[in-house]
């Protein structure tokens, strides 16, 4: 089973993805974490290329991340299912995911869209910046990330809604409430 957690930055994708992956015993693929690791280790080309976009809150270009996404989906652990956290985020990434799975006779089974108001997103990212000190949680980068989500990623919702696999999950409650909602939607 392949499940995509979709939502604006700060909507709780990472937290809910972790809970779901543990419950279903599936690997979680998190492009943000992979990019952060590559930057920390200075891996070429990903880590080095990513930095100039990441810190400003911009998406790392598809030319840099598509190869990474393909490699992750092709890993043996992800052969029968995975939780996708943080990708696809663009039309080109969605096309790659669709094609890679289709070639294996698979598809995305569920899209969980975490629905959180913009005020709440900003509040959470500011709170996180106090704790984690992520450079992309600065006020300027937060604004850029929200804009880019609306421009590049939100259109994917329409693409997947046509297939009838999008479930809107109210994302403003507690972590436990949201996890329960997701359990009910997935049916396990
Ligand atoms: P996240 O941790 O998912 O909020 O991602 C943090 C940052 O990593 C984003 O603002 C982008 O710079 C980069 N990033 C993560 N996932 C992707 C992706 N699928 N495509 C492009 N850039 C990404």
């Amino acid at each position: 089973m392949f499940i995509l957690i979709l939502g604006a930055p700060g909507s709780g994708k990472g937290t809910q993805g972790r809970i779901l992956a543990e419950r279903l015993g599936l690997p979680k693929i998190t492009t943000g974490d992979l990019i952060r690791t590559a930057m920390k280790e200075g891996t070429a080309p990903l880590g080095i290329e990513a930095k100039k976009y990441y810190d400003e809150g911009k998406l790392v270009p598809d030319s840099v991340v598509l190869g990474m996404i393909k490699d992750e989906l092709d890993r043996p652990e992800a052969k029968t299912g995975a939780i996708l956290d943080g990708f696809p985020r663009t039309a080109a990434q969605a096309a790659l995911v669709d094609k890679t799975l289709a070639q294996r006779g698979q598809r995305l089974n569920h899209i969980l869209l975490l629905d959180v108001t913009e005020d709440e997103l900003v509040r959470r990212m500011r709170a996180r910046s106090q704790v984690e000190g992520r450079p992309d949680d600065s006020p300027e980068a937060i604004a850029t990330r929200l804009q880019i989500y609306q421009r590049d990623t939100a259109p994917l919702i329409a693409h997947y809604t046509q297939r009838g696999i999008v479930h809107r999950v109210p994302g403003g409650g507690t972590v436990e409430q949201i996890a329960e909602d997701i359990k009910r939607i997935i049916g396990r």
Side-chain angles (χ1 to χ4, degrees):
M1 171 143 55
F2 289 86
I3 301 174
L4 161 58
I5 315 244
L6 196 62
S11 61
K13 299 188 294 290
T15 305
Q16 292 302 330
R18 200 174 316 119
I19 294 172
L20 192 56
E22 269 174 30
R23 194 170 71 236
L24 300 182
L26 290 174
K28 177 161 90 86
I29 307 173
T30 307
T31 44
D33 285 350
L34 293 163
I35 291 169
R36 279 184 283 279
T37 303
M39 287 193 315
K40 201 161 81 195
E41 292 173 356
T43 325
L46 180 62
I48 292 161
E49 275 295 307
K51 187 151 180 55
K52 44 191 181 244
Y53 301 96
Y54 182 99
D55 286 356
E56 287 182 23
K58 294 182 178 154
L59 289 185
V60 181
D62 283 334
S63 56
V64 182
V65 295
L66 286 176
M68 172 186 82
I69 289 174
K70 176 95 177 94
D71 289 349
E72 288 298 315
L73 289 173
D74 284 342
R75 287 163 79 93
E77 305 89 290
K79 279 284 176 244
T80 57
I83 308 295
L84 315 188
D85 167 16
F87 79 102
R89 252 178 161 101
T90 64
Q93 292 178 22
L96 175 71
V97 171
D98 289 348
K99 185 170 148 212
T100 304
L101 295 183
Q103 281 169 347
R104 299 168 8 187
Q106 297 169 323
R107 62 189 173 86
L108 283 177
N109 302 93
H110 299 286
I111 316 263
L112 299 167
L113 175 62
L114 294 179
D115 203 1
V116 179
T117 63
E118 191 155 322
D119 284 353
E120 175 66 8
L121 294 172
V122 172
R123 194 192 64 72
R124 289 187 191 174
M125 282 190 276
R126 291 211 177 124
R128 181 169 69 187
S129 73
Q130 305 292 315
V131 183
E132 296 180 17
R134 272 173 57 161
D136 63 335
D137 281 339
S138 70
E140 299 76 25
I142 287 175
T144 304
R145 288 164 69 204
L146 289 171
Q147 271 169 16
I148 289 181
Y149 173 77
Q150 288 304 337
R151 191 190 69 192
D152 294 339
T153 307
L156 299 182
I157 300 167
H159 167 76
Y160 288 119
T161 297
Q162 288 171 352
R163 291 198 220 161
I165 55 173
V166 175
H167 313 274
R168 208 170 270 273
V169 184
T174 65
V175 169
E176 293 75 21
Q177 278 166 350
I178 300 164
E180 273 305 311
D181 278 351
I182 291 176
K183 195 172 177 178
R184 196 172 32 76
I185 290 168
I186 304 287
R188 44 193 276 226

